[in-house]
Amino acid sequence: MCPRHPDRVAYVRCQRCGRPVCPECQRPAAVGVQCVDCVREQARTARVGTTVFGGRVTAGRPVVTLSLIGICVVVWLLELVSPAFESRIVFAPVLGQSQPWRFLTSAFAHDRTFVLHIVFNMYALFIVGSYLEPLLGRIRFAALYLISALGGSVVYLLMAHKPTPAELLAGEGGSWYTGLVGASGAVFGLFGALLVLNRRLGRSSAAMYATIAINAVLGFTIPGIAWQAHLGGFVTGVVCAAIIAYAGQPAPGRPARHDLHGIGLAAVTVVLVLLAVGKYAIT
């Protein structure tokens, strides 16, 4: 009789545990059948495949990349419907101390009057994200993106100066009062990470050098583009990728320590927060 259904006669046994198994509880196996309990136990104890950098192997679409793009598009549409919505999430140094969420929310907002702003950023995010997400795993990729976005805002803050009373009277608030929006800082972080990870894997990044150079030149030559955020995101992405690529690597007699990645990324986040706090403390 089947242990799960005592009222049913089982004419075969599970190939794994040897218990009788009725047709309802049978699951096809390589040879014969297995019971549902053995299949469940096998799935629970099966070793999960990991990428070279310790992330969980995933197949199919880059879920995190597409989710980030979807969030940015939805936020941009909300900005079109309600222009006041942008003012609630844009980052400006003058607002960061009392409303710290703006350090991250600004990375999901874009100029509502310049459509190419979001188009270029989302295209770059899709291209680079589709490559990096399967390489890193979803959690590491999401952390890289968000920390790079934070790094872009923090460096923008560090390079801004609080205007003097005379400058305020003259209507010159400078970058201290200038809002920052866009995913460019986070995208530049992905650019930097791609260079580091490709170098670690021995892959060429020749095409990316030209893309980064063009975007860097545009950031310095076109008014209204916050090159400070680009620089901050790029440097932060390089540091995060270096931690993922080199921290905890296996050595003779020592297995890989991928758990160090989380510690390293958390340390980068703490440093960025301390830099922002220090900037407000001395300003």
Side-chain angles (χ1 to χ4, degrees), residues 152-188:
S153 298
V154 170
V155 172
Y156 183 79
L157 166 67
L158 295 177
M159 293 189 173
H161 75 279
K162 191 173 184 178
T164 63
E167 289 175 330
L168 288 176
L169 289 175
E172 299 177 0
S175 56
W176 194 257
Y177 287 87
T178 302
L180 170 69
V181 294
S184 301
V187 170
F188 264 80

Side-chain angles (χ1 to χ4, degrees), residues 20-123:
V21 54
C22 71
E24 184 178 342
C25 297
Q26 295 174 12
R27 297 295 182 268
V31 178
V33 297
Q34 292 184 5
C35 65
V36 292
D37 295 326
C38 287
V39 170
R40 186 182 299 111
E41 177 65 18
Q42 196 170 11
R44 187 181 66 84
T45 59
R47 184 175 180 179
V48 178
T50 58
T51 68
V52 65
F53 297 117
R56 183 188 294 268
V57 174
T58 57
R61 298 179 179 180
V63 175
V64 175
T65 299
L66 295 177
S67 299
L68 292 171
I69 292 174
I71 293 173
C72 289
V73 172
V74 170
V75 170
W76 185 71
L77 293 175
L78 290 175
E79 293 177 65
L80 293 179
V81 174
S82 175
F85 178 74
E86 180 180 332
S87 63
R88 300 190 186 100
I89 60 176
V90 63
F91 173 75
V94 68
L95 299 172
Q97 185 174 15
S98 59
Q99 302 174 23
W101 62 83
R102 293 175 180 266
F103 279 89
L104 282 179
T105 56
S106 60
F108 296 95
H110 290 80
D111 189 341
R112 64 179 184 277
T113 62
F114 185 47
V115 180
L116 292 181
H117 185 212
I118 187 172
V119 171
F120 284 150
N121 279 343
M122 294 304 98
Y123 175 75

